[in-house]
Amino acid sequence: MGKKKEPAFEPEAEADLKKRAGRIAALLAKDYAGKTMPLNFNSPFELLIATILAAQCTDARVNAVTPELFGHYPDPRALAGADVADVERIIRTTGFFHNKAKAIQAASRAIVERFGGRLPESIEDLTALPGVGRKTAHVVRGNALGLPAIFVDTHVIRVSGRLALTASADPARIETDIARLVPENTWTSFCNHMTWHGRSVCVARNPRCAECILNRDCPTGRRLLPSD
């Protein structure tokens, strides 16, 4: 069987696309006011580790184990020198705990050895840490370091595609598309709101278009909603 094609939308002038993106961003900001990163953290390092643990695991489960983890090992030096068996015990319920324990300890050691125990801020340095990809680096930069950041998770990929803000499913291309459509100082909040919207309304199966605040600015919603 051939690969299923994404639905094609009518071409849209760049100026019109930016205006529509602005309306979408404003509606999301209003509907998800106060909603931020769902992972609990008290430092950039804690968010880095929590984001690594969140791979193929719910945020709620990660939030359930990190208080004990960081209570025992509050900084990179402590986690780097921890007994791996104890780390595995604490994070076991997040799944893939052998690999995750190795990853978070390797990242902690790299922070200690390469950066003197201080979490780096640049994309290049963050993504050079073991187990840290571009999405994780941007999550930390945007939500813990207060730097402009576009993090493209599975929800952002799905929602931005349905909204026709991008014609690509490639995270790097989506990052570029979002960067040109919304102001830099809103990148982090926009991605957080897109993620919340993808979890609660624009879900993977049977999106709730009839109750969606974006349906009139969404080509997919206009297709699925009954005609007026």
Side-chain angles (χ1 to χ4, degrees):
M1 294 178 64
K3 185 177 180 180
K4 184 179 180 181
K5 293 183 178 180
E6 293 296 319
F9 300 111
E10 292 295 324
E12 188 172 9
E14 184 75 3
D16 293 335
L17 178 56
K18 285 186 176 181
K19 288 180 182 178
R20 189 165 61 83
R23 292 194 300 269
I24 288 168
L27 287 166
L28 289 173
K30 181 179 180 180
D31 211 49
Y32 297 98
K35 290 281 192 180
T36 57
M37 163 58 56
L39 291 170
N40 297 334
F41 64 96
N42 294 303
S43 69
F45 171 70
E46 288 190 3
L47 181 56
L48 178 81
I49 299 304
T51 306
I52 295 173
L53 293 177
Q56 301 184 62
C57 178
T58 66
D59 294 332
R61 173 45 48 192
V62 174
N63 289 339
V65 305
T66 49
E68 181 179 2
L69 180 67
F70 297 135
H72 286 228
Y73 311 110
D75 55 51
R77 200 172 300 278
L79 186 54
D83 176 12
V84 67
D86 190 47
V87 175
E88 290 181 348
R89 174 190 64 79
I90 296 171
I91 68 169
R92 178 180 293 270
T93 58
T94 66
F96 306 98
F97 61 93
H98 291 304
N99 290 336
K100 288 181 179 180
K102 291 178 182 177
I104 63 177
Q105 287 201 291
S108 298
R109 282 193 294 271
I111 293 168
V112 171
E113 294 168 3
R114 301 180 201 170
F115 303 102
R118 183 180 178 85
L119 187 72
E121 295 187 355
S122 74
I123 285 291
E124 294 75 17
D125 287 341
L126 283 167
T127 54
L129 298 174
V132 179
R134 192 170 181 86
K135 185 201 80 172
T136 297
H138 273 304
V139 165
V140 174
R141 279 171 57 85
N143 289 285
L145 297 173
L147 298 170
I150 297 172
F151 38 95
V152 182
D153 63 11
T154 183
H155 302 291
V156 172
I157 292 172
R158 181 175 66 255
V159 176
S160 63
R162 286 176 174 169
L163 288 168
L165 299 180
T166 182
S168 177
D170 175 62
R173 177 59 189 274
I174 295 172
E175 184 182 320
T176 299
D177 289 339
I178 290 175
R180 82 173 197 277
L181 293 177
V182 299
E184 185 177 74
N185 65 346
T186 68
W187 285 354
T188 298
S189 59
F190 182 70
C191 290
N192 279 330
H193 297 157
M194 291 264 278
T195 295
W196 281 107
H197 195 64
R199 290 170 179 236
S200 60
V201 178
C202 194
V203 293
R205 295 185 178 182
N206 301 317
R208 297 194 279 276
C209 296
E211 62 190 75
C212 179
I213 58 169
L214 306 178
N215 53 34
R216 296 306 175 188
D217 270 311
C218 176
T220 302
R222 289 198 297 270
R223 286 179 177 179
L224 296 177
L225 285 171
S227 300
D228 292 335

